[in-house]
C-alpha cells in the first residue's frame, strides 16, 4: 500500500495558502473582523467547551485576528497570548481588549505561520489553538509549530467545505456533487500518520453570509468551488445567482473595502466547522 502524502495534498489544494504571506490583504480585512465587545456568538462558546480548559490555563491563540476568541476567553480569566502576522489585526485586538477591560490578560505577538518559530522566544502555554486560521503553505511544519507552544493540548477549528467558494445551498439547488475533501481530512490524516490520536468534533452555528461588491464578484468567488459543472448546471448556477443574490443598500465590507451597499444571498446559513484536538502525550505514555 502507498500512504497518502497529506502535506503534498495540502500544498496542491489549499488555495488559501496564497494569502498566507499577503499582509496587505489581512490588514485591509482587519476592520471587518472586529467584533463588538459582548456580541453573542455560539461558535465562541462551543469552541471554548471543546478546548477543555482549566480555570488557570494559559492559552496561545495563533491567527487571533482582532480577538474573536482571545477577548472573550480573557474575560473568562485566562492569560491569552494572541498571535497574528497582521499589525492591523493586532491593533484592533488591543483596542478591543482595552474596551473589554482585559488588556492586562492579553499579550499580542506578531507572528507568521511561515517563519521559523525556533528563532523567536515564544511562550509555552497549557493549550495552543488555531481557529479558522490555519492559512499556511506547509501543513506538517505548522502543526509541529503549534505543538511547540503547547504544554498539554492543541486544538484546531477548520472549515469542512472542500474548497473556498463552495456553497451547500447552491450545490444542492443545481445538483452539484461535492468536489474533493475538506482540509480537516488532511489535518486528521497528517496527525494520525504520526500516531497522535486526534479527536474530531463538529461545531454547528449560525454564520453570516458572505458579502459581495457586485454580482460579478459573487460569480467569480463562487466559481472556485464549482469548477466542474455540466452545461445544465452552468445555466442553473447563473440563474441561482440572478434569483437569490439580493442588494443591500447599507454600508458593509467586501475584501477589506468599505462599501456603501453590498450583495448577499437570501438564504440563511449554518456553518459546520471541524474541531480537531489532540493531547501532547499519547494514550500509551
Amino acid at each position: 500500500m502507498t500512504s497518502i502524502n497529506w502535506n503534498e495534498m495540502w500544498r496542491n489544494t489549499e488555495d488559501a495558502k496564497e494569502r498566507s504571506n499577503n499582509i496587505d490583504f489581512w490588514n485591509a480585512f482587519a476592520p471587518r473582523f472586529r467584533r463588538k465587545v459582548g456580541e453573542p456568538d455560539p461558535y465562541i462558546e462551543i469552541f471554548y467547551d471543546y478546548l477543555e480548559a482549566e480555570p488557570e490555563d494559559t492559552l496561545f491563540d495563533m491567527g487571533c485576528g482582532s480577538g474573536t476568541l482571545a477577548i472573550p476567553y480573557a474575560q473568562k480569566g485566562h492569560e491569552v497570548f494572541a498571535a497574528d502576522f497582521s499589525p492591523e489585526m493586532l491593533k484592533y485586538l488591543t483596542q478591543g481588549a482595552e474596551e473589554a477591560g482585559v488588556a492586562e490578560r492579553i499579550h499580542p505577538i506578531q507572528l507568521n505561520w511561515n517563519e521559523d518559530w525556533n528563532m523567536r522566544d515564544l511562550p509555552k502555554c497549557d493549550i495552543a489553538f488555531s481557529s479558522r486560521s490555519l492559512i499556511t503553505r506547509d501543513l506538517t511544519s505548522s502543526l509541529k509549530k503549534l505543538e511547540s507552544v503547547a504544554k498539554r493540548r492543541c486544538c484546531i477549528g477548520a472549515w469542512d467545505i472542500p474548497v473556498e467558494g463552495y456553497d451547500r445551498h447552491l450545490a444542492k439547488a443545481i445538483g452539484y456533487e461535492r468536489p474533493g475533501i475538506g482540509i480537516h481530512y488532511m489535518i486528521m490524516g497528517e496527525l494520525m500518520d504520526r500516531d497522535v490520536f486526534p479527536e474530531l468534533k463538529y461545531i454547528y452555528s449560525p454564520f453570516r453570509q458572505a458579502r459581495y461588491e457586485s454580482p460579478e464578484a459573487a460569480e467569480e468567488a463562487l466559481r472556485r468551488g464549482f469548477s466542474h459543472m455540466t452545461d445544465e448546471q452552468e445555466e442553473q448556477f447563473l440563474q441561482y445567482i440572478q434569483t437569490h443574490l439580493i442588494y443591500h443598500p447599507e454600508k458593509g465590507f467586501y475584501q477589506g473595502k468599505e462599501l456603501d451597499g453590498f450583495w448577499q444571498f437570501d438564504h440563511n446559513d449554518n456553518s459546520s466547522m471541524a474541531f480537531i484536538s489532540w493531547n501532547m502525550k499519547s494514550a500509551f505514555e
Side-chain angles (χ1 to χ4, degrees):
M1 293 181 63
T2 302
S3 62
I4 298 173
N5 187 327
W6 298 105
N7 200 37
E8 189 65 27
M9 183 182 293
W10 177 278
R11 289 172 177 169
N12 290 335
T13 62
E14 176 50 28
D15 51 4
K17 68 182 181 291
E18 296 177 3
R19 301 188 195 139
S20 62
N21 272 332
N22 191 340
I23 198 165
D24 293 334
F25 176 88
W26 294 109
N27 280 341
F29 241 44
R32 175 186 170 185
F33 269 59
R34 188 179 183 188
R35 298 181 60 85
K36 295 179 181 178
V37 174
E39 184 178 354
D41 183 346
Y43 175 85
I44 295 172
E45 292 304 318
I46 298 171
F47 194 98
Y48 182 77
D49 288 342
Y50 287 176
L51 284 179
E52 299 180 5
E54 300 295 335
E56 300 301 318
D57 278 348
T58 54
L59 308 177
F60 193 103
D61 180 0
M62 179 57 195
C64 64
S66 57
T68 303
L69 301 185
I71 292 173
Y73 295 173
Q75 290 175 313
K76 293 179 182 294
H78 294 285
E79 200 88 0
V80 183
F81 293 84
D84 201 285
F85 86 127
S86 163
E88 284 296 301
M89 290 288 190
L90 295 177
K91 181 185 79 173
Y92 283 108
L93 164 72
T94 300
Q95 291 177 1
E98 291 172 351
E99 292 173 9
V102 293
E104 74 283 355
R105 287 201 291 272
I106 292 183
H107 311 283
I109 302 171
Q110 188 168 355
L111 181 67
N112 192 327
W113 280 114
N114 297 322
E115 67 179 277
D116 185 356
W117 289 20
N118 292 322
M119 302 300 293
R120 302 288 298 273
D121 184 20
L122 298 173
K124 199 154 187 172
C125 298
D126 295 296
I127 300 174
F129 65 85
S130 166
S131 169
R132 301 180 284 203
S133 58
L134 190 61
I135 302 172
T136 173
R137 293 173 178 169
D138 190 280
L139 176 62
T140 303
S141 66
S142 295
L143 293 178
K144 290 180 179 179
K145 287 172 182 177
L146 195 65
E147 291 173 332
S148 73
V149 293
K151 295 178 184 177
R152 189 177 81 248
R153 183 168 167 80
C154 288
C155 304
I156 291 177
W159 295 106
D160 70 339
I161 58 175
V163 66
E164 187 179 4
Y166 182 77
D167 183 292
R168 288 186 174 91
H169 292 271
L170 177 52
K172 184 177 181 180
I174 69 174
Y176 186 79
E177 186 176 349
R178 179 185 175 103
I181 62 175
I183 64 170
H184 63 308
Y185 280 70
M186 303 175 211
I187 298 169
M188 291 289 291
E190 177 74 16
L191 292 169
M192 287 190 290
D193 280 356
R194 289 202 276 123
D195 288 335
V196 170
F197 303 101
E199 294 183 2
L200 174 63
K201 298 179 181 179
Y202 287 92
I203 298 175
Y204 302 97
S205 63
F207 183 71
R208 185 175 64 186
Q209 279 288 344
R211 296 173 176 178
Y212 303 101
E213 185 176 18
S214 65
E216 292 75 21
E219 180 184 340
E220 180 183 357
L222 289 164
R223 283 192 180 277
R224 300 172 193 152
F226 295 84
S227 58
H228 299 90
M229 292 184 287
T230 64
D231 291 342
E232 181 180 0
Q233 288 172 335
E234 172 77 19
E235 292 180 10
Q236 294 172 328
F237 172 84
L238 295 173
Q239 182 62 43
Y240 189 93
I241 293 175
Q242 182 179 352
T243 303
H244 295 278
L245 197 65
I246 307 300
Y247 181 71
H248 297 262
E250 62 264 29
K251 289 184 180 295
F253 283 96
Y254 172 76
Q255 298 290 311
K257 296 186 295 184
E258 187 173 10
L259 306 173
D260 291 329
F262 60 89
W263 295 80
Q264 195 171 42
F265 281 114
D266 58 5
H267 54 250
N268 294 324
D269 201 10
N270 286 314
S271 69
S272 57
M273 184 73 57
F275 181 93
I276 301 167
S277 61
W278 67 102
N279 296 324
M280 296 309 297
K281 291 186 178 181
S282 78
F284 299 108
E285 292 186 64

